[in-house]
């Protein structure tokens, strides 16, 4: 049940934040491997990107990749949050009754790795679909998938079962770092807010406050990994399924840093917070409340 509750909470958050995921993906691919001033800027900032996509691709364009997004959240976050909940309930993140920063960080990272590997094929498809745009505002490599199932079958047909896990080398560090930062900060912040007695015991505002603190830490730690992950998943591949632009995580990281500088690794930072921030807060609050509700009646 912990796996189901974690997945449902993440899906609830995804319904609201998927348009921001589309915006974030486009901004991270804009000007890929090009120095500042040498490429056309289609998306000036989060709000301009939101307006531009809505105007040219229509409102449906802002919800591209929603189906694989929901499936991904159910798989990845169901496994990730469910695993962490079990580890927490067994007392492995505590030392002398208090949350241990080291133990909760390791537990969050391990849960993240498992979730990332499980959800990688769906994340691959989601990235492809969210980057697809009308030619006048297109950025990054453009795939021609008609939907999630068509994309999965097409990739499998061309590159075999392993082709579906292309980009997993970026997904594992991305999700493990984000998961470690998110869950360890959430657990510690929830304990801190409870100790301060700002809100009544058991109040949903405790989880909300902890989620807000966690969201800032997550975005700061995760954005460079998120940029690399988006680019590796979206890059064109040869007939053998090998990336044409990058050989792997380290190569993508070094090339982005060399061509675009440190700001390249933080492309779409505003979009990342507007997406990851609310998603972190919503998913953690929903997860906390669903667990509280379930266990109060079981």
């Amino acid at each position: 049940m912990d796996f189901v509750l974690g997945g449902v909470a993440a899906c609830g958050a995804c319904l609201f934040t998927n348009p921001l995921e589309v915006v974030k993906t486009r901004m991270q691919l804009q000007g890929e491997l090009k120095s500042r001033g040498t490429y056309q800027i289609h998306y000036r900032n989060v709000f301009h990107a939101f307006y531009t996509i809505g105007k040219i691709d229509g409102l449906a364009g802002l919800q591209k990749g929603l189906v694989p997004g929901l499936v991904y959240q159910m798989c990845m976050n169901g496994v990730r949050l469910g695993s962490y909940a079990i580890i927490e309930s067994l007392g492995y993140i505590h030392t002398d009754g208090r949350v241990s920063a080291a133990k909760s960080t390791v537990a969050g990272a391990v849960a993240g790795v498992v979730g990332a590997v499980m959800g990688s094929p769906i994340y691959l498809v989601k990235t492809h679909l969210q980057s697809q745009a009308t030619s006048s505002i297109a950025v990054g490599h453009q795939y021609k998938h008609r939907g999630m199932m068509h994309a999965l079958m097409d990739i499998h047909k061309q590159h075999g079962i392993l082709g579906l896990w292309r980009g997993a080398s970026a997904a594992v560090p991305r999700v493990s770092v984000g998961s470690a930062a998110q869950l360890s900060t959430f657990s510690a912040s929830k304990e801190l807010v409870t100790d301060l007695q700002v809100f009544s015991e058991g109040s949903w505002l405790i989880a909300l406050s902890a989620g807000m603190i966690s969201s800032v830490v997550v975005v700061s730690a995760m954005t460079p990994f998120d940029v690399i992950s988006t680019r590796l998943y979206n890059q064109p591949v040869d007939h053998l399924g090998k990336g044409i632009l990058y050989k792997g995580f380290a190569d993508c990281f070094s090339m982005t840093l060399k061509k675009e500088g440190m700001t390249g690794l933080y492309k779409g930072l505003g979009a990342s917070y507007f997406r990851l921030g609310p998603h972190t807060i919503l998913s953690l609050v929903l997860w906390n409340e669903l667990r509280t509700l379930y266990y109060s009646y079981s």
Side-chain angles (χ1 to χ4, degrees), residues 33-275:
L33 296 183
K34 295 177 181 177
S35 57
R36 187 183 293 272
T38 63
Y39 58 89
Q40 184 178 358
I41 298 177
H42 298 297
Y43 313 109
R44 292 196 294 270
N45 53 51
V46 179
F47 305 105
H48 181 254
F50 206 95
Y51 169 77
T52 301
I53 295 169
K55 179 183 178 182
I56 297 178
D57 284 347
L59 293 178
L62 289 166
Q63 281 290 14
K64 280 193 173 179
L66 178 60
V67 173
L70 291 170
V71 174
Y72 173 72
Q73 293 299 331
M74 193 70 198
C75 293
M76 192 278 284
N77 275 315
V79 171
R80 187 177 69 89
L81 295 177
S83 299
Y84 187 81
I86 292 171
I87 294 170
E88 182 182 34
S89 65
L90 292 173
Y92 289 134
I93 70 166
H94 296 90
T95 299
D96 298 327
R98 304 287 295 179
V99 173
S100 165
K103 290 180 179 179
S104 59
T105 299
V106 171
V110 170
V113 168
V114 177
V117 173
M118 293 281 288
S120 188
I122 304 300
Y123 192 90
L124 172 67
V125 170
K126 180 181 73 68
T127 302
H128 288 183
L129 291 175
Q130 289 178 335
S131 66
Q132 286 181 194
T134 302
S135 58
S136 61
I137 59 169
V139 292
H141 184 72
Q142 295 290 294
Y143 288 89
K144 303 297 180 184
H145 303 313
R146 295 194 295 271
M148 183 179 76
M149 293 309 298
H150 173 261
L152 287 170
M153 290 189 291
D154 188 47
I155 295 168
H156 180 266
K157 181 180 178 180
Q158 291 187 46
H159 308 296
I161 192 71
L162 292 180
L164 292 169
W165 267 267
R166 186 175 80 240
S169 63
V172 169
R174 172 187 175 272
V175 179
S176 60
V177 168
S179 183
Q182 182 192 66
L183 296 175
S184 61
T185 307
F186 181 67
S187 294
S189 299
K190 194 165 64 169
E191 190 175 72
L192 175 63
V193 174
T194 301
D195 289 344
L196 292 173
Q197 298 182 340
V198 178
F199 307 111
S200 59
E201 187 176 349
S203 171
W204 65 274
L205 291 171
I206 294 174
L208 177 63
S209 300
M212 292 173 71
I213 295 169
S214 178
S215 68
V216 175
V217 178
V218 169
V219 174
S220 300
M222 197 173 176
T223 296
F225 295 91
D226 202 31
V227 171
I228 299 304
S229 182
T230 296
R231 293 183 173 189
L232 281 176
Y233 274 114
N234 196 67
Q235 72 169 326
V237 295
D238 61 19
H239 67 287
L240 296 175
K242 293 183 178 180
I244 292 174
L245 297 178
Y246 315 107
K247 296 175 184 176
F249 182 87
D251 186 48
C252 184
F253 186 94
S254 62
M255 286 183 69
T256 300
L257 193 62
K258 181 180 178 181
K259 297 281 188 179
E260 303 171 56
M262 185 59 74
T263 55
L265 293 171
Y266 278 90
K267 269 190 175 173
L269 179 61
S272 289
Y273 184 77
F274 278 111
R275 185 268 167 187

